[in-house]
């Protein structure tokens, strides 16, 4: 029998009283080249409770996010636009320069250095979402990024003597090197500045495009799912997170379900909108709201969540705090109620055999998404 620890009980009780409503991020820094936004655990307390960080990078045409590493393992998802990303894995002799586009997902383990660039000729912004585990970070619920260069980079913290000795430079050269980049985190490159181009071969094993990948679930007029796991994106194992992209059609419903392996589910609404309900301990509805594109919310461990899309449908990208998540659904063909003995179901609901039979006879062919019918629109 699984024993519930006091820490589990405390976390669940804390989630019951927290504000679980979807939130938008606030700008952290930026300028002409673009901006970096993040969600604060003071505004979204479940970030701290789940030790999850969430941030978004938006680069204008010609914008460059200077090289940095983070105190947290992450999954990155390209929400909009296309550009270039470089990934430098620890103890590797060269960087992998990846052409990236909307729908691309990347797993970024600890110690990875990245830079991100939006092309000068771009007509749209390059927007990238970051979701990750902050349990080993400096601040629970928030990423701490360590800039390598710029006005807040690590070069500025060392004395000229240390820089000169470390890189075998003359004193005047080391002083110039440290002071020539006044930008902080994000800069806009001058017209004509040539950046390295991405290589499609470098994408292999590093990137999965969720809009082009084979579907794990495809329900006509209902919804579609692509799941990131250790099979289709091996670095997911090092990150310790799973992820998925879910798209449901207008007025469709996502079956009530829960993570049955003690995982938190962190959901960013990519586009569209819909109603969300979350039910927790003692059958208490802890969240009922309408979620829209650009919002983020977190479902506590073992809590049950369901969503119904508005007219335009609903699309969301989620991470789950385990690399190979397992979900249990309470409605549909694979519902736990379909497997429970009829007599037990009848006794559980204290209902008649006729009502039990009606309940069991529904959704015999439906999976986890339910297309609308005349009664649901």
């Amino acid at each position: 029998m699984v024993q519930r620890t006091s820490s589990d009980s405390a976390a669940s009780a804390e989630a019951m009283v927290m504000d679980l409503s979807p939130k938008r991020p606030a700008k952290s820094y930026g300028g002409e080249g673009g901006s970096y936004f993040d969600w604060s655990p003071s505004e979204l307390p479940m970030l701290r409770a789940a030790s999850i960080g969430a941030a978004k990078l938006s680069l204008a045409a010609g914008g460059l996010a200077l090289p940095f590493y983070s105190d947290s393992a992450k999954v990155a998802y390209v929400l909009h636009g296309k550009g270039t990303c470089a990934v430098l894995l620890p103890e590797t002799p060269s960087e992998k320069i990846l052409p990236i586009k909307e729908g691309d997902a990347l797993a970024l383990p600890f110690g990875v250095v990245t830079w991100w660039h939006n092309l000068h000729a771009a007509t749209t912004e390059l927007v990238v979402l970051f979701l990750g585990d902050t349990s080993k970070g400096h601040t629970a619920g928030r990423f701490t990024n360590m800039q390598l260069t710029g006005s807040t980079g690590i070069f500025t913290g060392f004395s000229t003597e240390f820089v000169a000795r470390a890189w075998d430079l003359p004193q005047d050269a080391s002083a110039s090197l440290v002071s020539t980049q006044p930008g902080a985190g994000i800069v806009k490159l001058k017209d004509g500045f040539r950046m390295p181009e991405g290589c499609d071969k470098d994408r292999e094993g590093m990137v999965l495009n969720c809009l082009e990948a084979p579907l794990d679930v495809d329900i006509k007029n209902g919804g579609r799912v692509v799941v990131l796991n250790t099979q289709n994106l091996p670095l997911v194992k090092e990150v310790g997170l799973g992820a998925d992209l879910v798209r449901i059609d207008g007025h469709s419903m996502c079956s009530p379900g829960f993570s049955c392996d003690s995982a938190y589910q962190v959901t960013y609404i990519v586009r569209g909108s819909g109603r969300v309900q979350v039910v927790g301990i003692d059958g208490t509805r802890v969240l009922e709201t309408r979620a829209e594109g650009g919002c983020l919310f977190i479902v506590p461990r073992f809590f049950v969540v369901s969503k119904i899309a508005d007219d335009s449908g609903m699309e969301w990208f989620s991470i789950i705090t385990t690399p190979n998540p397992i979900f249990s659904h309470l409605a549909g063909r694979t519902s736990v109620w379909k497997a429970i003995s009829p007599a037990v179901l009848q006794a559980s609901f204290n209902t008649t055999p006729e009502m039990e039979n009606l309940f069991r006879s529904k959704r015999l062919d439906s999976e986890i998404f339910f297309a609308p019918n005349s009664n649901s629109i």
Side-chain angles (χ1 to χ4, degrees):
M1 186 174 76
V2 177
Q3 295 294 324
R4 193 175 179 191
T5 66
S6 58
S7 60
D8 288 337
S9 299
S12 296
E14 185 179 17
M16 292 290 289
V17 298
M18 281 185 178
D19 177 10
L20 302 183
S21 58
K23 297 290 193 303
R24 295 182 182 273
K27 182 176 177 179
S28 179
Y29 60 84
E32 187 181 3
S35 300
Y36 180 87
F37 304 83
D38 68 357
W39 281 264
S40 167
S42 62
E43 294 291 324
L44 189 55
M46 277 304 300
L47 289 171
R48 183 182 295 108
S51 289
I52 291 294
K56 191 161 62 171
L57 173 68
S58 179
L59 295 177
L64 172 67
L66 299 171
F68 69 93
Y69 63 94
S70 178
D71 64 350
S72 305
K74 306 174 184 176
V75 172
Y77 181 71
V78 181
L79 296 168
H80 187 64
K82 59 183 180 179
T84 307
C85 165
V87 177
L88 294 79
L89 297 168
E91 300 182 351
T92 53
S94 61
E95 63 188 358
K96 289 183 177 290
I97 303 177
L98 318 172
I100 56 173
K101 60 183 179 179
E102 181 176 336
D104 280 351
L106 302 84
L108 304 175
F110 281 107
V112 167
V113 173
T114 62
W115 54 258
W116 306 77
H117 176 236
N118 193 8
L119 306 178
H120 277 288
T123 57
T124 62
E125 293 183 329
L126 172 64
V127 184
V128 184
L129 175 72
F130 300 98
L131 301 174
D133 176 16
T134 67
S135 60
K136 298 180 181 178
H138 286 273
T139 303
R142 200 167 208 166
F143 299 133
T144 299
N145 296 328
M146 311 293 285
Q147 305 291 337
L148 298 189
T149 62
S151 60
T152 58
I154 61 171
F155 271 84
T156 62
F158 284 108
S159 67
T160 301
E161 176 193 1
F162 271 61
V163 173
R165 288 286 299 276
W167 286 275
D168 192 22
L169 294 171
Q171 291 280 341
D172 58 345
S174 62
S176 174
L177 188 66
V178 169
S179 62
T180 49
Q181 176 52 272
I186 300 172
V187 298
K188 185 175 177 66
L189 301 178
K190 296 179 181 178
D191 291 341
F193 189 93
R194 292 184 63 84
M195 287 288 288
E197 296 183 359
C199 173
D200 286 334
K201 184 174 177 58
D202 282 348
R203 288 173 56 90
E204 296 177 6
M206 301 290 295
V207 181
L208 178 73
N209 188 277
C210 297
L211 300 178
E212 300 173 354
L215 297 171
D216 293 280
V217 177
D218 185 8
I219 308 299
K220 184 179 180 181
N221 299 321
R224 291 150 295 284
V225 181
V226 170
V227 178
L228 277 70
N229 52 40
T230 54
Q231 281 70 49
N232 55 23
L233 196 59
L235 281 176
V236 163
K237 182 176 182 180
E238 294 186 41
V239 172
L241 301 167
D244 59 21
L245 177 71
V246 181
R247 290 166 284 170
I248 61 175
D249 298 326
H251 299 291
S252 290
M253 181 180 192
C254 183
S255 169
F258 62 94
S259 167
C260 47
D261 49 7
S262 189
Y264 290 92
Q265 187 173 356
V266 185
T267 298
Y268 176 84
I269 308 300
V270 177
R271 58 179 55 87
S273 60
R275 295 166 53 204
V276 179
Q277 290 188 355
V278 177
V279 176
I281 300 169
D282 297 329
T284 301
R285 189 184 308 154
V286 294
L287 178 66
E288 179 167 10
T289 190
R290 185 172 177 273
E292 298 179 333
C295 292
L296 182 95
F297 67 96
I298 301 176
V299 178
R301 294 177 295 174
F302 304 112
F303 284 30
V304 179
V305 60
S306 184
K307 309 176 186 75
I308 299 177
D310 290 338
D311 293 348
S312 60
M314 195 175 180
E315 178 178 337
W316 63 86
F317 184 81
S318 297
I319 64 164
I320 304 94
T321 56
T322 178
N324 292 296
I326 301 172
F327 287 95
S328 184
H329 293 278
L330 302 181
R333 184 179 61 83
T334 58
S335 163
V336 296
W337 289 115
K338 302 297 184 188
I340 289 178
S341 302
V344 174
L345 191 151
Q346 182 182 335
S348 297
F349 282 105
N350 188 27
T351 189
T352 64
E354 293 75 20
M355 181 59 71
E356 181 278 325
N357 185 63
L358 175 65
F359 181 82
R360 188 183 296 276
S361 68
K362 300 296 185 179
R363 301 290 187 202
L364 294 178
D365 299 319
S366 301
E367 296 290 344
I368 62 171
F369 302 126
F370 310 141
N373 55 39
S374 57
N375 296 322
S376 61
I377 299 179

